[in-house]
């Protein structure tokens, strides 16, 4: 249950967090981040509900010694396991897709502002700089464009401010490493839950539990 609540909390923070929400709202139709953003949230909420339900069913099955509740708990753990394995495989095979899609959004907005083609994009770029506490993209020539002068947070200069692409990459790497660690922990817990519920089911079935049922008659 605690693991389910942790996953639900992480999913909510990721979905409604300022930085993730900002990028999702700016993301274009051709960019994959918005789809990943919403899919991860709904997957996390569904997974947390399944894990919480599995924990409740397992606890009730232990107290009531019910084979039906035990089987339902095993099914919930198995369902969560079947969802976690593809998620972990996707993260492993698409290790940089989230980072690349967010940096593509920043590159697009930055170039639009640099060309002075949209005042609306200038507000979006300012919001990104304030959210990530960074200032533009560092150039090997050290030049500063109007995009940095008009959109960087107050008091930050291009040469003193942090490179936004590097800041975004570092932030996402830490966040995704935490997500992947939580996925690994969830996989381990679901395997343990399936083994435990299986053992409990057979224990109840063969009446080998501590509280034996039936009556004993002395002759």
């Amino acid at each position: 249950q605690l693991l389910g609540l942790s996953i639900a909390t992480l999913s909510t923070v990721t979905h409604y967090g300022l930085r993730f929400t900002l990028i999702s709202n700016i993301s274009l139709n051709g960019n994959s981040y918005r789809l990943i953003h919403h899919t991860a949230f709904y997957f996390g909420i569904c997974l947390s509900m399944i894990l919480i339900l599995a924990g409740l069913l397992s606890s009730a099955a232990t107290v009531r010694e019910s084979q039906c509740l035990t089987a339902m708990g095993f099914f919930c753990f198995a369902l969560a396991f079947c969802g976690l394995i593809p998620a972990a495989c996707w993260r492993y095979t698409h290790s940089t897709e989230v980072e690349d899609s967010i940096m593509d959004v920043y590159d697009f907005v930055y170039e639009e502002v640099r060309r002075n083609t949209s005042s609306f994009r200038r507000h979006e770029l300012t919001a990104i700089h304030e959210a990530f506490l960074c200032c533009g993209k560092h150039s090997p020539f050290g030049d500063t464009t109007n995009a940095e002068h008009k959109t960087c947070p107050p008091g930050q200069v291009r040469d003193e401010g942090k490179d936004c692409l590097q800041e975004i990459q570092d932030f996402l790497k830490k966040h995704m490493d935490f997500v992947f660690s939580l996925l690994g922990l969830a996989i381990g817990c679901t395997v343990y839950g399936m083994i435990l519920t299986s053992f409990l089911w057979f224990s109840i079935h063969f009446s080998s539990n501590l509280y034996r049922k039936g009556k004993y008659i002395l002759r």
Side-chain angles (χ1 to χ4, degrees):
Q1 297 177 13
L2 182 60
L3 179 62
L5 291 175
S6 301
I7 294 176
T9 302
L10 178 63
S11 301
T12 303
V13 170
T14 302
H15 188 264
Y16 294 103
L18 174 62
R19 297 178 176 181
F20 295 104
T21 304
L22 179 63
I23 297 296
S24 178
N25 293 335
I26 298 175
S27 179
L28 301 176
N29 294 330
N31 191 284
S32 61
Y33 176 73
R34 184 174 296 176
L35 177 62
I36 297 173
H37 182 76
H38 293 291
T39 303
F41 172 71
Y42 293 118
F43 173 80
I45 294 299
C46 292
L47 178 63
S48 64
M49 293 175 63
I50 293 173
L51 289 175
I52 293 173
L53 180 60
L56 292 174
L57 290 173
S58 300
S59 300
T62 304
V63 174
R64 300 183 61 181
E65 299 181 3
S66 172
Q67 287 182 270
C68 180
L69 292 177
T70 305
M72 292 174 63
F74 176 85
F75 175 77
C76 289
F77 281 119
L79 185 62
F81 179 79
C82 291
L84 285 167
I85 292 300
C89 292
W90 184 90
R91 171 57 187 162
Y92 181 77
T93 56
H94 300 76
S95 57
T96 62
E97 184 169 344
V98 177
E99 293 89 337
D100 292 342
S101 60
I102 291 182
M103 287 190 286
D104 287 343
V105 172
Y106 179 80
D107 279 332
F108 173 78
V109 176
Y110 181 86
E111 293 300 324
E112 288 289 309
V113 174
R114 191 175 64 85
R115 298 191 190 98
N116 294 319
T117 57
S118 174
S119 59
F120 179 72
R121 294 298 181 187
R122 187 176 298 112
H123 293 293
E124 294 178 340
L125 185 61
T126 302
I128 294 176
H129 287 167
E130 292 177 351
F132 287 92
L133 298 178
C134 57
C135 183
K137 297 190 293 184
H138 286 188
S139 170
F141 302 102
D143 57 334
T144 303
T145 65
N146 291 330
E148 281 80 12
H149 290 300
K150 296 179 180 179
T151 60
C152 284
Q156 279 199 10
V157 183
R158 169 64 180 279
D159 295 332
E160 298 177 358
K162 299 178 180 179
D163 179 78
C164 280
L165 293 180
Q166 187 63 44
E167 283 297 304
I168 292 172
Q169 187 176 19
D170 292 343
F171 169 76
L172 290 174
K173 185 178 184 302
K174 294 178 181 178
H175 186 80
M176 296 305 295
D177 287 344
F178 182 75
V179 171
F180 195 68
S181 300
L182 193 60
L183 280 177
L185 178 62
I187 291 174
C189 289
T190 53
V191 172
Y192 175 76
M194 287 189 291
I195 296 174
L196 190 62
T197 50
S198 299
F199 176 78
L200 180 61
W201 189 91
F202 283 108
S203 297
I204 297 172
H205 180 72
F206 293 109
S207 300
S208 61
N209 51 298
L210 295 177
Y211 301 99
R212 293 184 178 274
K213 300 179 180 179
K215 297 180 179 179
Y216 295 85
I217 300 175
L218 296 177
R219 294 182 180 180

